[in-house]
Amino acid sequence: MSWALRVAGLGVIYGGGCDRCPERTGPAAGAADPGLDAVDASGPGASRVVCDRCGSVVAAWDVSFEVAPGESLGVIGESGSGKSTVLRTIAGDLTPWAGAAWLAALDGGATDLFTLDRAARRRLRAGDLGMVYQDPAEGLDLEISAGGNVIEPLTAAGWRHFVRMRSRAAELLGRTEVPVDRMDDLVHTFSGGMRQRVQIAKALATSPGVVLLDEPTSGLDASVAAGVLDLIRELSEELGLATVVVSHDFQVMHMLARRVLVMHHGRVVEEGLTDQLLEDPQHPYSQRLVAAAR
Amino acid sequence: MTAAIEDLLGPAAPYSWGFLDEQSKREIRRAILTAVAVPGYQVPFGSREMPVARGWGSGGLQVTLAIAGEADVVKVIDQGDDAGVNAVNLRRLIASTTGVATTTDAREATIVQTRHRVPEGPMRAGQVLVLQVPVPEPLRAVERGEAEQRQLHAEGDYARMWVSLYEDLVRHGVITCTTGYPCLVGGRYVIATSPIPRWDCPKLHQSEHLSVFGAGREKRIYAIPPHTDVEPLTFEDVPFEVERTPGAACVLCGAVEAYLVEVPGRGWVCSDTDWCARRRRAS
């Protein structure tokens, strides 16, 4: 098996949904509709995420990709393009409408994650799947210590030895460059960059094979962000992690991801090697995105 | 013109057996049966208005009144003491609304209703320990949302409970929780052993008697059937410890291996007055 994580046909719809949602939404929804004349079918309003038949929001549709062990896949797109939705659905925070996802580490890739019950999904998060959120307050409890946050997935995975958990937390925090003498301080006393490092330590606690990163550096200033990105790159190389990193920032993609998906209105509009995509974007939306970043 | 109060009241309608109406007793018994069938699971029930304020033992009282029969003998203690104000009032209420016999001797009782203690001496098969519970939810300190608490119980997700014990050890060097120590029942549900001291937790493990916990204000009933595992949550390398004061012995009966409370200026005495008195009579 060449992949660590495989996603096929992932779709997330908010609202009732109808069987025509997929064709009535997306970047080409207006243009594809033969019932509209040329004026209606063009312009900013033609491309949409709200189904005009049933009013449901199609946050993501037909998203498929594979990530190999040690590989890093980027997902880029503007706000609201559905990239975080895809990540959170894989992580188990959101419920998918359609599609399937497999982890190589789970039953040798035979079991679709989306068929698992909530308790099994949660066990996965304390095992083979780590997640780093944009806002540390979402991934961490700011009112407990850094060490306490890092040991949470360990306790969920059945660790019951205080000294062993503590030394594991110290090891992880040391690796993510959080001063170990501050491991007993409450996380809300930490700076943004340090909080993000604690989150990374927590995501790595149970040595997962796959780590999902949702805008890991968006709230940080440039120099701190660069440090965190370096750390993520080093750790993924060192540990052979398969990572999926979501960002709207080409700098992040450039540093972390070798391969990139471009998302727009909930659809993947282009996929390619990062360098290639930055130099020679094919899809009109990718071209606009790259032009805007320059 | 004034009317006598008796005239205004009219003929007194007698209370039904055990104060509660038959439907209420039936509902409470059903909740107890569910609680026994699923050890440690908090069963919601429609807690009734009782002639004691909620939070003053109304939950334990409803359990006792729902299960008491004519042949039962009831003992009520408050902090191990049969003569506590709360214990005396509840015992009178139970006796006057049911007519059951009451006792202070834990060995004679078939139902022991208690606040804050498990009787010091061993309880036998067939006895029911009814505990009055103010706060039944062990997860309240780590999760405020009731729906989330239920979800965590349903999924057996006690990770944050363990994190709070870890935090306690890191900050204070010991696990500071004294009464209501969280215990895992039957390897499945974590309960608040509300609010008995740590000393009493081992008495719930593989016990001969049935323990029924009633929380009137919170409208929950849960139970530990006989011969059920009750494990206080603790780390493999941090042993569970009970309260002990070096050198303390009961000034009345000399007991060392008992839960002792300090009387300022007098020294230490047994918390369980009945057990202490029996020891003194025997010697």
Side-chain angles (χ1 to χ4, degrees), chain A:
Chain A
M1 201 185 308
S2 58
W3 44 266
L5 169 70
R6 184 156 90 89
V7 177
L10 176 64
V12 182
I13 297 179
Y14 295 105
C18 67
D19 52 2
R20 302 202 60 194
C21 277
E23 64 187 78
R24 305 296 302 179
T25 60
D33 192 336
L36 296 174
D37 64 25
V39 176
D40 284 343
S42 60
S47 167
R48 60 185 167 241
V49 293
V50 181
C51 174
D52 61 351
R53 289 291 162 89
C54 68
S56 302
V57 175
V58 181
W61 193 257
D62 199 22
V63 177
S64 304
F65 58 83
E66 288 180 7
V67 197
E71 191 196 13
S72 185
L73 175 73
V75 182
I76 197 161
E78 64 195 9
S79 300
S81 61
K83 49 195 197 309
S84 291
T85 300
V86 168
L87 215 60
R88 280 159 189 261
T89 309
I90 300 166
D93 296 342
L94 299 174
T95 312
W97 178 276
W102 301 269
L103 273 175
L106 178 71
D107 301 338
T111 305
D112 174 7
L113 302 188
F114 300 151
T115 62
L116 299 177
D117 62 21
R118 272 186 55 128
R121 295 298 316 260
R122 193 171 40 70
R123 275 199 296 279
L124 218 53
R125 286 287 292 280
D128 299 318
L129 192 62
M131 171 95 183
V132 175
Y133 295 88
Q134 174 179 358
D135 181 2
E138 206 172 334
L140 301 174
D141 186 337
L142 302 185
E143 297 308 314
I144 64 176
S145 70
N149 273 293
V150 175
I151 67 137
E152 192 193 319
L154 298 178
T155 64
W159 290 46
R160 294 290 179 264
H161 197 282
F162 178 76
V163 171
R164 263 180 237 149
M165 280 199 283
R166 206 163 154 70
S167 58
R168 173 74 177 151
E171 176 197 334
L172 286 160
L173 290 168
R175 223 161 179 183
T176 53
E177 293 155 26
V178 177
V180 173
D181 55 3
R182 290 203 65 190
M183 74 180 280
D184 296 335
D185 291 353
L186 302 187
V187 178
H188 78 82
T189 64
F190 286 13
S191 69
M194 263 172 72
R195 289 179 191 185
Q196 214 53 311
R197 288 168 192 277
V198 174
Q199 238 203 127
I200 295 166
K202 180 181 175 181
L204 295 175
T206 51
S207 309
V210 177
V211 175
L212 311 174
L213 303 131
D214 187 5
E215 306 267 9
T217 56
S218 296
L220 308 176
D221 63 55
S223 62
V224 176
V228 171
L229 290 176
D230 270 338
L231 173 71
I232 294 170
R233 193 165 61 175
E234 279 168 31
L235 286 170
S236 9
E237 277 170 17
E238 191 185 325
L239 305 171
L241 299 175
T243 56
V244 181
V245 56
V246 154
S247 182
H248 59 265
D249 185 350
F250 272 109
Q251 292 284 3
V252 173
M253 290 301 147
H254 202 71
M255 276 199 70
L256 290 184
R258 233 173 53 81
R259 210 152 53 81
V260 169
L261 304 181
V262 181
M263 282 191 74
H264 188 220
H265 288 312
R267 308 296 203 282
V268 176
V269 294
E270 189 167 351
E271 179 177 357
L273 297 173
T274 312
D275 294 338
Q276 219 166 48
L277 198 126
L278 282 169
E279 289 306 317
D280 184 21
Q282 299 296 310
H283 191 273
Y285 174 72
S286 315
Q287 290 168 357
R288 268 193 286 145
L289 204 62
V290 172
R294 292 235 161 94

Side-chain angles (χ1 to χ4, degrees), chain B residues 124-222:
Chain B
R124 58 173 156 65
Q127 285 183 313
V128 182
L129 182 71
V130 178
L131 292 106
Q132 301 165 201
V133 178
V135 181
E137 183 50 73
L139 293 170
R140 188 160 297 170
V142 293
E143 173 57 61
R144 289 210 192 113
E146 290 228 353
E148 286 77 10
Q149 290 163 359
R150 313 228 97 197
Q151 189 83 49
L152 294 175
H153 279 298
E155 294 174 11
D157 180 2
Y158 297 116
R160 281 150 76 189
M161 200 83 207
W162 286 100
V163 171
S164 77
L165 295 177
Y166 167 91
E167 291 282 298
D168 219 6
L169 269 173
V170 165
R171 257 180 248 170
H172 308 290
V174 289
I175 296 174
T176 52
C177 179
T178 51
T179 57
Y181 196 91
C183 291
L184 184 67
V185 176
R188 177 59 184 86
Y189 287 102
V190 169
I191 62 159
T193 50
S194 200
I196 58 172
R198 289 185 187 200
W199 178 271
D200 287 338
C201 289
K203 294 184 201 158
L204 302 176
H205 174 68
Q206 288 291 334
S207 64
E208 292 295 322
H209 69 275
L210 164 68
S211 304
V212 182
F213 297 73
R217 184 177 50 200
E218 307 276 339
K219 307 180 177 67
R220 297 275 189 273
I221 287 174
Y222 52 107

Side-chain angles (χ1 to χ4, degrees), chain B residues 17 64-65 67-75 91-103 110-111:
Chain B
W17 166 269
T64 301
L65 292 174
I67 62 173
E70 280 168 4
D72 274 311
V73 182
V74 175
K75 169 183 166 79
R91 180 164 55 240
R92 280 188 192 149
L93 182 72
I94 294 163
S96 63
T97 55
T98 61
V100 299
T102 60
T103 180
T110 56
I111 300 172

